[in-house]
Amino acid sequence: MNTYLLLKWIHILSSVALVGVGFGSAFYMYFANRTRNVAAIAEVSRLVVRADYWFTAPAAVVQPITGIALASMAHYPLTTAWLLVTYALFALAGICWLAVVWLQIRMAEMARIAAAGGTDLPQRYWRYARAWEGLGMLAFPAMLAVYGMMVFKPAA
């Protein structure tokens, strides 16, 4: 079996999981919030947190490992300009994602408590939701740009 192609396959699958689950989770969370239905928000936010643990986090670990291995195997210096841009964009998205996960966990807990008690969500939930959306607006384009770097490998 060709090790390079196996790593490339794993890299592609993990990138699909990373961005696909992230975008899907954001889609459902964003629109669940728009309903203002506390029970729906509680369930969606619980599942979004679970998806991050099960899919996004492992993919976020696999991505740089396989990416660096592939670049090395393809004899790209790890300081090549497009790789440096990729590292920076991935780091930006990762920092945003860590903050998003922190927010999501707290939002899910607030929604769970509100749903169980039959109360409205606290104002803090909505402040967190705005921050969550803003971070996503930074992270998602950064990941799209990472895809562009992977595909086009632009010259300096």
Side-chain angles (χ1 to χ4, degrees), residues 2-15 61-78 80 82-83 86-87 146 149-151 153:
N2 184 317
T3 304
Y4 181 84
L5 291 179
L6 178 62
L7 280 176
K8 187 174 184 179
W9 180 70
I10 292 168
H11 190 68
I12 291 168
L13 288 179
S14 66
S15 74
V61 171
V62 168
Q63 275 292 281
I65 293 168
T66 56
I68 289 169
L70 288 166
S72 294
M73 291 172 80
H75 305 291
Y76 286 107
L78 297 181
T80 301
W82 71 268
L83 283 171
T86 300
Y87 305 150
V146 167
M149 294 292 147
M150 287 190 318
V151 171
K153 298 172 184 56

Side-chain angles (χ1 to χ4, degrees), residues 22-34 40 44-45 48 132:
F23 185 71
S25 294
F27 176 88
Y28 286 109
M29 185 90 150
Y30 177 85
F31 284 105
N33 282 341
R34 295 304 170 276
V44 169
S45 62
V48 163
W132 177 87

Side-chain angles (χ1 to χ4, degrees), residues 36-44 111 115:
R36 299 269 177 171
N37 179 318
V38 176
I41 291 169
E43 186 62 18
V44 169

Side-chain angles (χ1 to χ4, degrees), residues 36-46 106-122 125-126:
R36 299 269 177 171
N37 179 318
V38 176
I41 291 169
E43 186 62 18
V44 169
S45 62
R46 181 183 71 81
R106 276 133 196 90
M107 291 164 68
E109 182 62 12
M110 284 184 261
R112 185 192 65 75
I113 290 167
T119 63
D120 289 334
L121 289 163
Y125 179 92
W126 300 111

Side-chain angles (χ1 to χ4, degrees), residues 52 91-107 128 131-136 138-139:
D52 270 343
L92 170 64
I95 290 165
C96 290
W97 177 73
L98 289 172
V100 160
V101 169
W102 185 89
L103 289 166
Q104 283 173 178
I105 291 168
R106 276 133 196 90
M107 291 164 68
Y128 283 11
W132 177 87
E133 289 173 19
L135 289 163
L138 288 172

